[in-house]
Amino acid sequence: DVKVTQSSRYLVKRTGEKVFLECVQDMDHENMFWYRQDPGLGLRLIYFSYDVKMKEKGDIPEGYSVSREKKERFSLILESASTNQTSMYLCASSGSYLTGELFFGEGSRLTVL
Amino acid sequence: SQQGEEDPQALSIQEGENATMNCSYKTSINNLQWYRQNSGRGLVHLILIRSNEREKHSGRLRVTLDTSKKSSSLLITASRAADTASYFCATLKDKGAQKLVFGQGTRLTINP
């Protein structure tokens, strides 16, 4: 089975802190994604990557950056966390960018105080 | 912006009944997918239907797609308490940026 592992299920950070959310997949997928999920807004795409060292902005990239140094790992970085970044963050991977299903991790619930 | 809009936002039925959820979208698509999310967990892929398909089945799931109306429906037959979850449709546009866009979901509650 495909496994997508997010490093932390729950995090509490303070405003201004730098935050790293790590995601690792074990199926050699080229494509990886970061979404955030908020009540009433559904899932919104932050960034995605279709190859090592490649990245593309999603719908809401402001305040975030990403890193993909190895194929299996895709990191989401909040350079200076703010309270409006309190959310559930979901990582996903896909073997087929255009037609394939997404495999999601369990999510990381981030609270910024 | 959200491509898919689910309807209803919440649905509560008795165990054994059928549950129907609808999804509407705005632009032409390559495919439409349905996902399920248990409370506080990640999403799990249920079924994918391509733009040239009209109906697809998987176990107790039946998905229809009407590209002329830009809508899809997910039917869960003989519902069980374990089907309680949120259900999301996601669309892949056939032009432009190739990324899945999710709707806001339908919260389904199955009462025993």
Side-chain angles (χ1 to χ4, degrees):
Chain A
D1 282 352
V2 174
K3 194 164 173 93
V4 178
T5 303
Q6 295 185 229
S7 54
S8 305
R9 288 276 283 141
Y10 301 95
L11 303 94
V12 179
K13 298 292 182 180
R14 298 208 174 271
T15 301
E17 280 193 79
K18 191 168 186 176
V19 181
F20 291 89
L21 299 179
E22 304 281 338
C23 176
V24 178
Q25 50 94 3
D26 65 359
M27 281 301 291
D28 203 35
H29 284 168
E30 278 87 23
N31 312 298
M32 297 188 75
F33 307 81
W34 275 106
Y35 288 87
R36 67 175 279 178
Q37 183 178 24
D38 301 287
L41 296 176
L43 276 78
R44 293 178 291 168
L45 183 62
I46 305 171
Y47 267 98
F48 62 102
S49 168
Y50 52 87
D51 201 353
V52 176
K53 297 191 186 295
M54 304 300 288
K55 60 185 179 184
E56 293 282 343
K57 292 181 180 179
D59 296 318
I60 51 164
E62 296 79 19
Y64 303 94
S65 62
V66 290
S67 172
R68 188 139 182 231
E69 296 297 318
K70 292 185 178 181
K71 191 174 186 179
E72 67 270 18
R73 187 179 297 269
F74 192 36
S75 302
L76 180 68
I77 303 154
L78 288 67
E79 293 288 342
S80 178
S82 62
T83 54
N84 63 13
Q85 292 178 310
T86 292
S87 187
M88 169 73 100
Y89 290 88
L90 292 163
C91 174
S93 74
S94 170
S96 171
Y97 180 41
L98 292 182
T99 61
E101 64 185 272
L102 292 183
F103 295 87
F104 280 85
E106 288 294 301
S108 297
R109 185 165 294 282
L110 171 67
T111 301
V112 182
L113 302 176
Chain B
S1 61
Q2 294 298 320
Q3 163 79 318
E5 296 290 337
E6 286 94 340
D7 170 56
Q9 291 188 352
L11 179 61
S12 181
I13 61 173
Q14 295 300 120
E15 196 166 19
E17 293 180 341
N18 295 342
T20 300
M21 289 158 273
N22 302 297
C23 171
S24 60
Y25 56 91
K26 297 173 184 168
T27 62
S28 58
I29 60 171
N30 176 290
N31 67 63
L32 185 145
Q33 302 178 32
W34 285 91
Y35 287 79
R36 164 199 169 120
Q37 183 182 35
N38 288 351
S39 182
R41 310 298 293 271
L43 279 72
V44 176
H45 181 265
L46 294 176
I47 198 165
L48 179 153
I49 187 165
R50 303 186 194 286
S51 60
N52 61 354
E53 297 175 310
R54 292 297 167 259
E55 188 169 313
K56 208 161 182 181
H57 296 255
S58 177
R60 292 184 297 114
L61 305 180
R62 172 177 167 250
V63 170
T64 61
L65 179 65
D66 186 336
T67 53
S68 67
K69 294 181 179 178
K70 293 188 171 58
S71 68
S72 173
S73 67
L74 171 67
L75 169 67
I76 303 174
T77 60
S79 63
R80 305 167 182 169
D83 293 329
T84 294
S86 291
Y87 292 82
F88 295 85
C89 70
T91 52
L92 183 70
K93 295 180 185 179
D94 66 353
K95 291 183 177 61
Q98 296 294 306
K99 58 185 182 182
L100 270 183
V101 180
F102 286 80
Q104 295 184 21
T106 292
R107 175 70 190 164
L108 175 64
T109 302
I110 308 298
N111 302 303

